[in-house]
């Protein structure tokens, strides 16, 4: 049987994960206008759920982007394009 400290740690970690804290994700631009980004095989984000920064305004299909999932997991900030290895 786990001791009280371990039980409190487990419950605390579960509570933080359940709140969907800010997280970094990577995606691929499917369409530039209206903006659509595929984050995972089963998750495609569209305009109402995306907040584009000025640096991310010039995106093209196929671009790899860096995203921040906002607290709660409903909206994503498109930070910038990933740099290609040659850059």
């Amino acid at each position: 049987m786990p001791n009280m400290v371990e039980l409190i740690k487990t419950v605390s970690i579960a509570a933080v994960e359940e709140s969907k804290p800010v997280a970094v994700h990577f995606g691929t631009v499917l369409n530039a206008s209206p903006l659509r980004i595929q984050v995972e095989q089963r998750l495609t984000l569209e305009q109402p759920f995306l907040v584009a920064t000025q640096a991310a305004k010039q995106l093209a299909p196929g671009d790899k982007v860096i995203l921040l999932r906002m607290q709660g997991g409903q909206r994503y900030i498109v930070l910038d394009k990933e740099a290609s290895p040659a850059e």
Side-chain angles (χ1 to χ4, degrees):
M1 179 173 185
N3 66 30
M4 185 60 82
V5 172
E6 290 301 319
L7 186 58
I8 290 171
K9 284 181 184 178
T10 302
V11 170
S12 298
I13 290 170
V16 169
E17 288 300 317
E18 190 66 29
S19 71
K20 296 190 185 262
V22 174
V24 176
H25 292 274
F26 296 90
T28 303
V29 176
L30 298 176
N31 192 38
S33 182
L35 186 57
R36 291 181 66 229
I37 298 175
Q38 184 172 0
V39 178
E40 299 169 359
Q41 194 170 27
R42 59 176 170 70
L43 177 60
T44 299
L45 301 170
E46 298 185 0
Q47 196 62 50
F49 302 101
L50 296 168
V51 177
T53 61
Q54 190 64 34
K57 292 287 185 179
Q58 296 178 354
L59 296 173
D63 285 345
K64 304 291 185 196
V65 293
I66 304 165
L67 304 151
L68 277 182
R69 185 186 70 204
M70 296 170 69
Q71 183 84 28
Q74 295 296 315
R75 298 185 75 195
Y76 291 74
I77 300 171
V78 184
L79 291 178
D80 207 346
K81 292 194 297 188
E82 256 185 81
S84 65
E87 292 181 28

